[in-house]
Amino acid sequence: MTSPIPGPPGLPLLGNLNDIDKVNVMVSMSNLADTYGPIYKLNLAGKDRLMIGNVEMLDEFTDESRFTKGLSGPLNELRAGIHDGLFTARYGEHNWEVAHRVLMPAFGPLMIREMFDEMHDVASQLVAKWARYGPDFKIDVTDDFTRLTLDSIALCAMDTRFNSYYKDDLHPFVHAMVGFLAEAGKRSNQPALQTYFQRTAQRQYDADIDFLQAVARDVVARRRQHPSDKKDLLNAMLKGRDPKTGEGLTDDSIMNNMITFLIAGHETTSGLLSFLFQYFLKNPETYQKAQKEVDDVAGKDPVTVEHMSKLPYLTACLRETLRLCPTAPAWSMTTRPEIKEPITICGGKYEIQPGQTMTMLLSKVHRDPAVYGNDAEAFRPERMLDENFNKLPKNAWKPFGNGVRACIGRPFAWQEALLTTALLLQKFNFRLDDPSYQLKIRQTLTIKPKDFFMHATLRDGVDVVHLEKSLHADPDHEEKASSNRKEAKKLQTTGKPKKPMSIFYGSNTGTCEALAQGLATTAASRDYDATVASLDSATDKLPKDQPVVIVTASYEGQPPDNAGHFIEWLKNLEGTTLQGVNYVVFGCGHRDWQATFQRVPKLTDALLEERGAKRIAIRGYADAAAGDMFNDFDKWEDETFWPGIADTFGSTGEVSEETSGLDVEVSTQLRTSDLRHDVRDAVVQETKVLTPDEVPPKRHMQLKLPTDMNYKAGDYLAVLPINNSTTIRRVIKRFGLPWDAMVTIRSQRSTTLPTDRAMSVFTVLGAYVELNQPATLKNVNAISKSVTESSEKEELQHLASDAFTAEITAKRISPLDLLERFPSATLPLGEFLGMLPPLRIRQYSISSSPLVDADSCTITWSVLDQKSLAGSEKRYLGAASNYLSHLEKGEHVQVSVRASQQAFHPPLDSENIPLVMICAGTGIAPFRGFVQERAQQIEAGRKLATALLFIGCHSPTIDKLYSDEFSQWEKLGAVKTRYAYSRKPEDSKGCRYVQERLWEDREEVVELFNQGARIYVCGSSAVGTGVQDMTKKMYKQANEQAGKMKTDEEIEKWFVGIKNERYASDVFA
């Protein structure tokens, strides 16, 4: 007795078309696999299709005695343009058989090896372009790799040069191809009747096909007019004969396969290279290993074909990239035509009808936890080194298709990708344009990263002239010539030498960047010309004979997004290679994360010293828990940094009157608005209060996300807020501005404020600066200098002395609070703006699952609105929480999705791995998403492992958030809830706090842990510490009961071992 294949219910005529996001097709397919399991059925406009999502299932369908390649969806539509080419031929078509036998020798090892020089020629053009544009040029990665691979296949296969790097726009062939592929994909996901009435689209489709065929005809005609003996693909098609039948390829077959090679030969490889560099830049340790391998193998010599077989780690990186992001993300199989009876699979569980199409979802197959483990989502090339790769199940890695219909051009693509990557890593260091970039997918028939930009900096101080010659010539000779040129240039330089300073920051939220910008402003008043840049931009390029300042934070012990490559580079240096570098480090952190507090600043400081750099001054640090980071920095700067600079470099110059350097011109004529670049507009769909009126509110919001912004349960939503209008009006009132004032800011120094254009003062104050930031000691002194009343000056001087910590920092008194308190202060608006840090994003845990709605997400937060410690009747209003609270349905908010740590997601193998989730207050947010996802999977027919959720709140009537939902999910079997009520402990087995309830139910927790459960914690630092201590206590007791005594050191070692593997925490201040 077979079982029905699960799947979502469909609509009449349309079937499941509405279940598929037309922009994010593969994301939709993947979400449905997460919901329904490794096999599910879709009805797409009347045609049933089975979707396959794990290795065990795929293994059955690769049996070529029962199944063969199926043409469905976009591939079937492509036949309108390339008919029976190698890629789109149906089973048994004669032209495919002839072409396959004729062309197989053309892709043999010797033929591919002979193409190396031409591949190198095109790759060298890319290197030269990036070198000439310099490190500030924003590289459109997929665009440039598309040019590379198109030019390579055209030159190597057909001896034709498209010269894409010498034109601003891509070759028209690419535009026609993209249009052709996109329309084919669109047609495969809509009813035929709809396609029939889309006449404009049909005309463009026909025009794109005509252009592709015209290019192919021109290439063939040129070769026939000018014959050559070159052993390339074009001659193989023109002159080759089928060893079985003696036939040659027909003219139509040559045309069809010409277009096929031009499309398939560049589209997939450009995607592979783009994804690879995205993974490199998101995984600095891997990047450094790959670059070191290239250096060890090729050194500074030209990269040659002999090097290709000596790059095992780079090979593993390519394999791992294709595992996670196969550029052809799916392929289909169908039953062989001679099979007329149903076939059973999975030991007779499911029945497959004759002619049924099965689509292999490689994004799920390649992430099968049964094969790749619980870290299957992680980019880890070590699993793809030859020893491990060869042990994989035979069908666990299938990016090139299956059997006789697998990609014929795989050797070509592999050599091209290896060569290009080696050459680029040898010549450049790379960094992301946006360090917070999260991978987005652009899909036609293939997939590529969307909006992925990076910067390339030449390594080892090589200049462009030297580089271009070193691509082919002896590097030692050129290095000497380059050195002579530089010395000559130095002799020509006249005039007083400048006093440069380099300030590098590592920052995710903007705090360290703001500190770096502030130091650059101060440095200008001390005769230093300071440049400010991210730490990654200093990789392999730390300047010497000038002060180098590093301001960086730690995030759960890891470097910030824009510092990871620099740290990995430091770790891999040897000896005293940094001798001559004069440096100082300032670190930011939060002491509640005791195990990793200041880890990255300490590591940076130690590594620099170990590698021969000279420390200018002792490392400074700021503790966010004290709430006074900016003042800590100012104090360190005045008392430690500048004296250290004077000791090392001599006098720091006469300190001029320190100003912000901002000149503000007020206008009431023009209005503009300004949007931030790192976020996009989402639309509010729903907003509601979750708590009664008598308690501080906790709120819920559902947002419609921008197109192609995807998330997973457990991720964050980063929100760029706007300051509260009440606070903005306080500033306007204090400076005597009209409500509709316009300002134009001009600055000779680096600033994050909008300059040289008029805009509303509301926009500047609302969208660009932190109005609630506590005043620093420098701020107090600057305001003191501007007051005219002696009594006020005396009081400000008192606040700037011993009273500062108690009266300013502890009470979170802002510069605005001080200006209102001391009315005689005459501080200009420009100086006030210069005091304020740039407005930072706030991160909120997403409280929903994409399996329920991939286009929307929800967040849950507490509203910060309390009496200000500044006194009087003022309220302290949290910028982001109040901003969100005042948004209504239909309004826009600027957001981006930020991935959480890898461990803080539901396990891939949810059917076998139990969950223990622990939270308090709005820490319930990510677990609402977890449980919502589990409920969706259970309703789809899946059986999941146990999930236990511990929730801390005040009482059952005050803040038992989402209680109705969790009650329904518990009845469904998606979760078991355990509450701890701090104000009603009698209703929660006497437990006031969530860690106490964890101890109360420890037997159940230990049992689940022994079954392989993962533990997740979300809440305040007090919750994190309490749960951590209780977990260790439970481990100790469990061992004692088993007769095993554990020391504190052994318990700590055990806990460190499970962190970020089986114990994941998301703890907020």
Side-chain angles (χ1 to χ4, degrees):
M1 184 72 177
T2 58
S3 301
I5 296 174
L11 298 173
L13 298 179
L14 295 178
N16 297 115
L17 286 177
N18 287 345
D19 293 309
I20 306 300
D21 184 336
K22 305 304 185 292
V23 177
N24 297 304
V25 174
M26 295 314 301
V27 173
S28 297
M29 299 289 192
S30 181
N31 287 341
L32 288 169
D34 287 337
T35 301
Y36 293 96
I39 182 170
Y40 65 93
K41 181 188 293 186
L42 293 179
N43 182 281
L44 301 177
K47 297 178 181 178
D48 283 344
R49 189 182 305 178
L50 303 185
M51 316 306 292
I52 307 303
N54 71 6
V55 173
E56 182 183 5
M57 293 278 186
L58 179 140
D59 202 42
E60 295 222 32
F61 293 113
T62 55
D63 177 3
E64 291 186 284
S65 67
R66 298 193 297 168
F67 303 100
T68 186
K69 179 175 180 175
L71 283 191
S72 64
L75 273 189
N76 199 46
E77 298 294 339
L78 289 181
R79 283 181 62 90
I82 49 181
H83 308 289
D84 55 5
L86 287 175
F87 195 39
T88 49
R90 294 194 175 99
Y91 176 78
E93 287 193 303
H94 181 66
N95 281 342
W96 177 86
E97 295 174 343
V98 172
H100 188 261
R101 288 190 291 264
V102 166
L103 292 172
M104 278 296 291
F107 287 99
L110 291 178
M111 292 291 291
I112 297 299
R113 186 182 177 92
E114 288 182 7
M115 297 177 186
F116 182 88
D117 288 343
E118 290 178 331
M119 289 183 181
H120 191 286
D121 177 34
V122 176
S124 297
Q125 294 176 34
L126 174 63
V127 171
K129 174 185 175 179
W130 287 357
R132 289 168 183 161
Y133 275 106
D136 295 329
F137 178 68
K138 183 177 176 180
I139 296 170
D140 186 335
V141 179
T142 56
D143 180 277
D144 271 354
F145 280 143
T146 298
R147 295 171 188 265
L148 169 88
T149 53
L150 177 66
D151 282 14
S152 290
I153 187 65
L155 180 60
C156 296
M158 299 144 203
D159 201 22
T160 298
R161 288 188 180 270
F162 283 160
N163 293 321
S164 298
Y165 289 118
Y166 303 98
K167 302 169 184 175
D168 291 336
D169 199 9
L170 285 165
H171 192 280
F173 180 91
V174 176
H175 295 297
M177 178 207 69
V178 169
F180 175 50
L181 296 180
E183 179 62 20
K186 180 181 174 183
R187 289 174 176 225
S188 69
N189 288 313
Q190 67 188 24
L193 187 63
Q194 182 178 348
T195 301
Y196 176 80
F197 285 107
Q198 292 176 335
R199 301 301 174 84
T200 301
Q202 181 66 51
R203 284 193 292 271
Q204 185 60 54
Y205 193 50
D206 293 339
D208 289 336
I209 291 171
D210 289 344
F211 187 84
L212 296 176
Q213 292 176 343
V215 170
R217 273 195 302 271
D218 288 346
V219 170
V220 172
R222 196 177 308 118
R223 176 63 60 88
R224 281 176 167 159
Q225 290 171 4
H226 305 284
S228 78
D229 294 328
K230 185 178 180 182
K231 295 181 180 180
D232 59 12
L233 288 178
L234 183 53
N235 270 345
M237 287 190 283
L238 289 171
K239 300 177 181 180
R241 291 295 177 268
D242 179 5
K244 182 176 181 179
T245 66
E247 298 175 69
L249 272 66
T250 66
D251 283 356
D252 285 343
S253 185
I254 292 172
M255 291 265 296
N256 294 331
N257 285 298
M258 179 76 66
I259 299 171
T260 296
F261 287 135
L262 286 171
I263 292 177
H266 90 276
E267 181 71 358
T268 51
T269 312
S270 62
L272 165 60
L273 288 167
S274 301
F275 283 122
L276 174 64
F277 275 80
Q278 188 274 153
Y279 281 120
F280 274 160
L281 294 178
K282 282 294 187 179
N283 295 273
E285 184 177 354
T286 298
Y287 175 101
Q288 290 294 325
K289 286 181 180 179
Q291 192 171 57
K292 184 177 185 302
E293 181 177 73
V294 174
D295 290 345
D296 291 345
V297 171
K300 295 183 180 181
D301 297 332
V303 176
T304 66
V305 70
E306 286 76 19
H307 293 138
M308 297 296 96
S309 61
K310 301 174 183 178
L311 299 168
Y313 191 74
L314 208 56
T315 297
C317 290
L318 290 170
R319 289 170 177 162
E320 182 73 344
T321 299
L322 284 177
R323 183 183 74 83
L324 291 172
C325 290
T327 49
W331 42 266
S332 295
M333 300 292 283
T334 188
T335 58
R336 290 175 66 94
E338 64 269 22
I339 292 178
K340 305 300 182 182
E341 298 295 328
I343 296 173
T344 59
I345 61 168
C346 300
K349 184 176 182 180
Y350 299 119
E351 188 174 80
I352 306 298
Q353 296 299 321
Q356 175 68 63
T357 297
M358 290 71 63
T359 297
M360 313 299 136
L361 299 176
L362 298 186
S363 62
K364 302 305 295 182
V365 172
H366 285 176
R367 287 173 165 86
D368 188 344
V371 174
Y372 293 106
N374 292 324
D375 67 344
E377 297 275 359
F379 182 75
R380 190 166 62 80
E382 287 74 13
R383 75 172 106 232
M384 289 295 179
L385 290 169
D386 285 348
E387 181 181 358
N388 299 323
F389 183 72
N390 293 333
K391 293 177 182 177
L392 289 174
K394 64 177 181 178
N395 290 311
W397 188 79
K398 302 289 286 186
F400 292 100
N402 183 63
V404 70
R405 295 300 300 270
C407 176
I408 194 174
R410 173 178 174 175
F412 181 96
W414 207 254
Q415 178 172 285
E416 181 183 19
L418 262 180
L419 161 64
T420 301
T421 306
L423 199 57
L424 293 175
L425 291 178
Q426 182 192 50
K427 302 303 181 185
F428 296 103
N429 286 317
F430 296 94
R431 59 186 169 89
L432 285 166
D433 178 64
D434 175 8
S436 65
Y437 174 78
Q438 299 294 322
L439 181 61
K440 298 190 289 288
I441 301 295
R442 177 175 66 82
Q443 181 174 346
T444 52
L445 188 63
T446 63
I447 58 172
K448 292 182 181 181
K450 183 179 180 182
D451 301 330
F452 173 40
F453 301 94
M454 67 183 184
H455 297 264
T457 303
L458 283 169
R459 298 177 66 193
D460 303 323
V462 178
D463 60 39
V464 177
V465 175
H466 171 245
L467 168 78
E468 293 189 27
K469 292 187 177 181
S470 73
L471 289 170
H472 305 283
D474 173 21
D476 291 335
H477 173 77
E478 285 303 315
E479 193 166 337
K480 293 174 184 176
S482 176
S483 176
N484 291 338
R485 286 194 295 271
K486 289 178 180 176
E487 289 300 318
K489 187 174 182 179
K490 285 182 182 178
L491 293 173
Q492 294 170 4
T493 303
T494 59
K496 183 179 178 181
K498 293 181 180 180
K499 296 170 67 177
M501 176 184 291
S502 293
I503 307 173
F504 300 107
Y505 61 86
S507 180
N508 277 2
T509 62
T511 300
C512 289
E513 182 178 1
L515 294 176
Q517 294 284 3
L519 179 58
T521 298
T522 305
S525 68
R526 294 177 179 261
D527 288 336
Y528 275 92
D529 181 15
T531 59
V532 180
S534 70
L535 261 176
D536 279 349
S537 69
T539 302
D540 203 24
K541 298 184 83 69
L542 270 183
K544 299 183 178 182
D545 301 322
Q546 63 174 278
V548 174
V549 186
I550 294 173
V551 186
T552 186
S554 291
Y555 293 89
E556 297 178 356
Q558 298 303 310
D561 292 340
N562 53 12
H565 290 273
F566 177 82
I567 299 300
E568 285 301 321
W569 169 70
L570 271 186
K571 288 180 182 178
N572 286 284
L573 290 178
E574 298 177 353
T576 57
T577 51
L578 296 182
Q579 193 166 358
V581 173
N582 297 277
Y583 79 95
V584 64
V585 176
F586 187 90
C588 296
H590 197 296
R591 66 167 176 258
D592 284 349
W593 286 266
Q594 186 175 2
T596 59
F597 181 56
Q598 297 284 329
R599 178 183 177 275
V600 172
K602 289 177 182 177
L603 178 64
T604 304
D605 192 19
L607 289 174
L608 287 167
E609 185 178 39
E610 287 175 13
R611 299 296 169 252
K614 178 184 176 183
R615 186 184 293 109
I616 298 170
I618 63 171
R619 176 175 49 85
Y621 75 91
D623 180 9
D628 201 16
M629 298 179 76
F630 286 85
N631 193 63
D632 288 343
F633 185 83
D634 285 348
K635 184 177 180 181
W636 171 80
E637 182 186 336
D638 292 337
E639 297 177 3
T640 305
F641 174 70
W642 287 116
I645 292 289
D647 291 343
T648 304
F649 293 94
S651 170
T652 57
E654 299 241 352
V655 182
S656 58
E657 188 68 28
E658 193 172 316
T659 69
S660 67
L662 302 179
D663 175 32
V664 178
E665 174 185 311
V666 179
S667 167
T668 57
Q669 301 296 314
L670 302 173
R671 297 178 184 272
T672 61
S673 63
D674 193 80
L675 300 176
R676 303 293 285 215
H677 65 85
D678 55 345
V679 286
R680 292 187 287 154
D681 277 7
V683 180
V684 178
Q685 293 179 309
E686 179 190 25
T687 179
K688 62 184 177 183
V689 180
L690 301 173
T691 48
D693 293 340
E694 61 268 21
V695 298
K698 292 179 171 64
R699 299 184 67 100
H700 166 96
M701 178 180 287
Q702 179 171 316
L703 294 151
K704 175 74 171 178
L705 294 173
T707 301
D708 71 29
M709 185 176 284
N710 305 312
Y711 71 97
K712 298 178 182 178
D715 284 346
Y716 302 108
L717 191 72
V719 176
L720 181 65
I722 295 176
N723 286 311
N724 192 274
S725 61
T726 301
T727 311
I728 297 171
R729 284 189 166 87
R730 286 171 55 198
V731 180
I732 290 176
K733 179 181 177 181
R734 176 59 180 79
F735 284 94
L737 300 172
W739 71 270
D740 60 349
M742 308 294 291
V743 296
T744 302
I745 299 172
R746 298 188 177 89
S747 177
Q748 299 300 315
R749 301 173 189 168
S750 177
T751 179
T752 55
L753 292 169
T755 57
D756 301 321
R757 61 186 187 275
M759 68 169 51
S760 161
V761 70
F762 254 79
T763 300
V764 175
L765 296 172
Y768 287 94
V769 290
E770 293 282 353
L771 295 178
N772 288 332
Q773 183 69 38
T776 66
L777 190 59
K778 280 187 177 180
N779 298 159
V780 178
N781 285 325
I783 293 172
S784 176
K785 290 177 183 178
S786 76
V787 300
T788 56
E789 292 289 336
S790 58
S791 60
E792 292 184 359
K793 185 178 290 288
E794 184 178 338
E795 188 174 353
L796 277 163
Q797 289 172 345
H798 169 68
L799 291 173
S801 58
D802 295 339
F804 179 82
T805 300
E807 294 297 322
I808 301 295
T809 303
K811 295 182 178 179
R812 297 190 62 82
I813 304 300
S814 69
L816 175 58
D817 292 328
L818 292 174
L819 290 174
E820 291 176 326
R821 182 172 168 183
F822 300 102
S824 75
T826 57
L827 192 77
L829 178 60
E831 296 305 304
F832 173 72
L833 291 175
M835 289 179 175
L836 306 177
L839 191 65
R840 297 185 292 275
I841 61 169
R842 274 70 167 172
Q843 291 191 163
Y844 295 90
S845 292
I846 293 174
S847 57
S848 60
S849 166
L851 301 194
V852 175
D853 186 351
D855 297 328
S856 299
C857 76
T858 66
I859 54 174
T860 310
W861 76 98
S862 298
V863 181
L864 181 56
D865 180 354
Q866 60 191 36
K867 186 175 180 180
S868 172
L869 297 176
S872 69
E873 298 302 316
K874 293 177 184 174
R875 306 289 299 173
Y876 185 87
L877 305 174
S881 65
N882 280 275
Y883 164 67
L884 291 170
S885 298
H886 288 88
L887 292 174
E888 297 180 356
K889 183 177 180 180
E891 291 192 282
H892 288 234
V893 56
Q894 293 178 297
V895 304
S896 66
V897 170
R898 300 287 175 88
S900 66
Q901 56 171 303
Q902 184 65 36
F904 208 89
H905 292 112
L908 295 178
D909 190 3
S910 57
E911 296 178 347
N912 296 302
I913 298 179
L915 281 70
V916 177
M917 301 165 282
I918 307 152
C919 65
T922 54
I924 199 172
F927 302 137
R928 178 180 182 265
F930 281 33
V931 179
Q932 186 184 63
E933 183 160 301
R934 289 173 57 84
Q936 187 78 358
Q937 292 170 325
I938 289 172
E939 288 178 340
R942 299 182 66 184
K943 295 181 180 179
L944 307 184
T946 301
L948 193 57
L949 173 60
F950 292 87
I951 306 170
C953 49
H954 289 144
S955 81
T957 58
I958 293 178
D959 57 349
K960 192 175 179 181
L961 306 182
Y962 303 112
S963 58
D964 290 343
E965 288 183 336
F966 279 106
S967 177
Q968 292 174 6
W969 291 334
E970 188 153 14
K971 292 176 183 176
L972 188 64
V975 69
K976 297 178 182 179
T977 55
R978 303 285 187 270
Y979 283 91
Y981 303 121
S982 61
R983 297 180 187 175
K984 294 278 288 183
E986 62 273 18
D987 291 346
S988 53
K989 295 189 175 183
C991 303
R992 288 184 179 275
Y993 303 110
V994 71
Q995 58 266 36
E996 295 174 1
R997 188 62 195 264
L998 186 66
W999 178 256
E1000 174 69 23
D1001 295 334
R1002 60 190 178 279
E1003 290 184 6
E1004 189 174 6
V1005 173
V1006 170
E1007 181 182 352
L1008 289 176
F1009 190 81
N1010 289 336
Q1011 294 172 15
R1014 290 188 181 182
I1015 299 174
Y1016 302 83
V1017 184
C1018 186
S1020 68
S1021 56
V1023 172
T1025 302
V1027 172
Q1028 179 175 308
D1029 292 344
M1030 196 61 73
T1031 302
K1032 295 176 184 177
K1033 183 178 177 181
M1034 291 163 59
Y1035 174 72
K1036 182 178 182 180
Q1037 186 194 66
N1039 277 278
E1040 288 174 349
Q1041 290 173 346
K1044 302 175 184 177
M1045 304 303 293
K1046 295 289 183 181
T1047 65
D1048 290 345
E1049 290 76 13
E1050 288 173 324
I1051 293 170
E1052 186 62 33
K1053 183 178 180 180
W1054 168 81
F1055 185 76
V1056 170
I1058 66 169
K1059 281 191 71 174
N1060 294 325
E1061 292 291 336
R1062 294 183 62 188
Y1063 185 101
S1065 62
D1066 184 2
V1067 178
F1068 46 83

